Amino acid sequence: VQLQASGGGLVQAGGSLRLSCAASGRTFSNSDMGWFRQTPEKEREFVASITKSGDRTDYADFVKGRFTISRDNAANTVYLDMKSLKPEDTADYYCASGYAVVLRAGVYVYRGQGTQVTVSS
């Protein structure tokens, strides 16, 4: 499985962005998916996950109510809609596939290249 994130950019605090992660391969619809973020100062942080059918989602406390994860299995794509962005959301965001029960713990099978999100104050 190859994963490629896109949609990052520079946005002012309070703004919104939509990240996309396109997956290749036929296993996407059978994979739980997650979003993570990383900065040079911090270790990898779990952001959100979604089960393969999309019926369950999980969010880190610091994004609840602001970020929404979704997926389109027909398009082999998972999304992260981010609103009310804060400067501390600045990071490299990447998607990963694995099992939802352990994605929160940072355990995944495949990860893609990230997309940089920069939030200015």
Side-chain angles (χ1 to χ4, degrees):
V1 175
Q2 290 187 322
L3 305 169
Q4 181 63 59
S6 62
L10 174 64
V11 63
Q12 288 187 330
S16 301
L17 279 175
R18 181 179 231 204
L19 305 184
S20 300
C21 173
S24 64
R26 294 176 292 178
T27 62
F28 177 80
S29 60
N30 290 325
S31 300
D32 299 333
M33 298 295 297
W35 283 97
F36 296 82
R37 68 187 190 184
Q38 191 161 16
T39 68
E41 296 77 27
K42 288 185 179 180
E43 292 185 354
R44 172 183 61 204
E45 288 186 303
F46 166 80
V47 175
S49 68
I50 187 167
T51 52
K52 56 187 179 183
S53 65
D55 62 337
R56 291 193 303 276
T57 57
D58 185 24
Y59 296 93
D61 288 345
F62 56 79
V63 302
K64 281 182 180 177
R66 299 189 300 124
F67 292 8
T68 302
I69 188 171
S70 61
R71 66 189 296 161
D72 182 345
N73 285 345
N76 278 12
T77 303
V78 61
Y79 304 98
L80 186 68
D81 288 294
M82 307 185 294
K83 63 179 183 180
S84 302
L85 283 162
K86 306 174 183 179
E88 51 265 43
D89 292 319
T90 295
D92 183 59
Y93 285 73
Y94 62 92
C95 63
S97 65
Y99 300 94
V101 292
V102 293
L103 280 169
R104 174 179 274 274
V107 178
Y108 47 73
V109 179
Y110 298 103
R111 63 154 289 180
Q113 290 187 322
T115 184
Q116 178 67 34
V117 173
T118 303
V119 185
S120 63
S121 57

